């Protein structure tokens, strides 16, 4: 495969994992031992907040009153799109029943987890859309209790629009607590809450590490790193649109990789020439993030042809993958490693991030090579069951007894033996593992 890097990233998006792990481990241990009060201490230390942790109905109503009607309508529009897409996803899951052998029926059931804990970032940016994405899908799945938690701001609390979004999307409890302490509170069942069975939602490296550490005691959607995006573009792409889309994703954070892969070097050069001015035109915080992300983590790659472009993309396995090229059906059928795919100039990652219906909680750091993003399925347990007549289980019992003995698991074999002896008295069976 021929690749030319017009821009090569000098850094990779990995934090100081050792330091983060130690800090998170200590906080979780302290909170598990110290309960509500220790969680409040950490909230005061990191969130600089001493208000209510569990928002009251009156506080939720007051926050909703602060949200402009136009924004409310936009949130409701996005919620409706995400809800209907999640309902369509859920419809693909069905209970199954199969008569494996005559008289023995096996089945599958999809059962939602009881309690979902949804983390909604609210530090650098107020992630209204994360409340929509996580709470809505949990509600559609059928979770009995949904907790949404978000970092409060000093003297202000949780952003009113986040509170409103979490409320209309179906959160049963809304918490004002961020970071590791918020994750811990949901997991350990603090403040009178039921213990979360699954934790979902994006967050910083401390939130991600807390989820990693707690996985096993509680389910998680995924362990997410910095967001990343890749654009595949050919000579038909508009360089201004491509450059704008790259910058729009670079603003996520200083370590958010963005990649352009193309078979047209002239397009690549034009895009690179346009990016600095587009970054300079952003507000200060966004500009600082995008500047660092473009300088340290962005790459521009020129390939020989579209097959090499697709192979390159699959190798990177981006969280967000945009195609601005001819023959979109070819790309849709060829590409296989991505969190979410955006086909054509008429759609963009920001649509999926905010309002089009697909979920924006997606695999990062190459994880799209083996998993997809958050969906209604993540909240569902696929369990199996079986039921048999005595005659229907006869051959299964014989095979079970013999296989178990061959493995050396005599107890297993005898659980089959005892049924054969009870149900078929007087019959002789070959239950040995001998040839």
């Amino acid at each position: 495969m021929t690749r030319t890097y017009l821009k090569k990233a000098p850094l990779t998006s990995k934090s100081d994992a050792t330091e983060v792990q130690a800090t998170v481990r200590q906080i979780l241990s302290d909170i598990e031992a110290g309960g509500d009060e220790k969680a409040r201490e950490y909230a005061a230390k990191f969130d600089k907040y001493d208000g209510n942790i569990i928002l009251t109905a009156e506080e939720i109503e007051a926050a909703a009153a602060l949200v402009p009607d136009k924004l409310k309508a936009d949130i409701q529009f996005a919620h409706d799109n995400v809800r209907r897409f999640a309902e369509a996803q859920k419809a693909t899951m069905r209970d199954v029943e199969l008569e494996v052998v005559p008289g023995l029926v096996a089945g599958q059931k999809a059962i939602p987890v009881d309690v979902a804990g949804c983390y909604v970032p609210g530090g650098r940016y107020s992630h209204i859309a994360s409340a929509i994405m996580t709470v809505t899908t949990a509600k559609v799945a059928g979770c009995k209790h949904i907790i949404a938690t978000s970092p409060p701001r000093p003297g202000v609390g949780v952003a009113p629009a986040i509170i409103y979004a979490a409320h209309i999307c179906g959160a049963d409890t809304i918490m004002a607590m961020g970071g590791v302490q918020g994750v811990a509170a949901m997991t350990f069942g603090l403040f009178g809450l039921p213990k979360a069975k699954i934790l979902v939602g994006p967050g910083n490296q401390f939130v991600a590490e807390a989820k990693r550490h707690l996985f096993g005691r509680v389910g998680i959607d995924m362990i997410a790193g910095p967001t990343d995006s890749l654009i595949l573009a050919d000579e038909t792409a508009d360089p201004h649109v491509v450059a704008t889309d790259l910058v729009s994703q670079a603003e996520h954070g200083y370590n958010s990789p963005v990649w352009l892969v193309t078979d047209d070097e002239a397009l690549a050069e034009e895009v690179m020439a346009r990016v600095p001015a587009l970054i300079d035109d952003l507000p200060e915080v966004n500009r600082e993030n995008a500047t660092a992300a473009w300088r340290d983590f962005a790459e521009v790659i020129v390939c020989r042809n579209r097959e090499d472009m697709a192979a390159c993309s699959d190798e990177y396995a981006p969280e967000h993958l945009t195609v601005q090229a001819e023959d979109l059906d070819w790309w849709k059928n060829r590409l296989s490693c991505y969190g979410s795919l955006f086909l054509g100039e008429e759609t963009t990652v920001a649509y999926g991030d905010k309002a089009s219906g697909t979920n924006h909680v997606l695999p990062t750091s190459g994880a799209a090579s083996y998993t997809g993003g958050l969906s209604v399925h993540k909240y569902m347990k696929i369990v199996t069951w079986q039921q048999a007549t005595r005659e229907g289980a006869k051959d299964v019992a014989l095979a079970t007894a013999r296989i178990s003995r061959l493995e050396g698991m005599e107890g297993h074999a005898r659980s089959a033996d005892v049924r054969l002896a009870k149900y078929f008295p007087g019959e002789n069976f070959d239950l040995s593992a001998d040839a």
Side-chain angles (χ1 to χ4, degrees), residues 360-424:
H360 80 190
V361 182
L362 299 167
T364 64
S365 306
S369 63
Y370 61 82
T371 189
L374 181 64
S375 71
V376 70
H377 307 99
K378 291 282 187 178
Y379 303 91
M380 308 293 285
K381 300 176 291 183
I382 304 299
V383 299
T384 57
W385 58 269
Q386 57 184 266
Q387 184 174 355
T389 64
R390 294 179 175 186
E391 187 65 40
K394 186 177 182 180
D395 288 342
V396 174
L398 289 167
T400 297
R402 291 192 286 258
I403 291 171
S404 296
R405 287 198 168 90
L406 184 64
E407 294 173 335
M409 303 188 76
E410 184 62 26
H412 280 63
R414 291 178 184 182
S415 71
D417 294 350
V418 71
R419 286 167 171 78
L420 289 167
K422 178 178 180 179
Y423 303 153
F424 306 100

Side-chain angles (χ1 to χ4, degrees), residues 40 49-64 145-153 156-167 171-177 190-191 193:
R40 287 184 188 277
Y49 176 77
D50 59 3
N52 274 344
I53 300 298
I54 306 295
L55 300 189
T56 65
E58 291 75 20
E59 287 173 320
I60 294 170
E61 185 178 349
H145 195 103
I146 302 167
I147 307 164
T149 193
S150 189
R153 292 176 178 175
V156 177
V158 177
I162 288 179
I163 295 172
Y164 176 76
H167 179 64
D172 297 288
T173 302
I174 302 175
M175 295 176 59
M177 186 168 281
L190 304 186
F191 306 105
L193 296 173

Side-chain angles (χ1 to χ4, degrees), residues 228-300:
D228 58 67
S229 298
L230 188 149
I231 296 179
L232 293 164
D234 66 11
E235 63 180 1
T236 67
D238 182 332
H240 182 70
V241 172
V242 172
T244 300
D245 285 354
L246 290 169
V247 171
S248 74
Q249 291 303 299
E251 78 172 352
H252 271 288
Y254 72 92
N255 58 351
S256 295
V258 291
W259 305 298
L260 171 61
V261 178
T262 181
D263 58 359
D264 187 325
E265 186 168 345
L267 173 79
E269 296 284 4
E270 179 66 17
V271 169
M272 292 174 65
R274 289 173 179 265
V275 163
L278 293 171
I279 291 176
D280 287 344
D281 195 43
L282 291 173
E284 182 179 2
V285 173
N286 313 61
R287 182 171 64 249
E288 290 174 354
N289 286 326
T291 297
W294 179 255
R295 180 189 65 230
D296 296 334
F297 298 95
E299 293 187 337
V300 177

Side-chain angles (χ1 to χ4, degrees), residues 117-120 134 198-202 211 219-221 361 374 378-379:
C118 303
Y119 189 86
V120 182
T134 57
I198 187 169
L199 299 171
V200 302
K211 290 166 69 177
I220 63 172
D221 50 358
V361 182
L374 181 64
K378 291 282 187 178
Y379 303 91

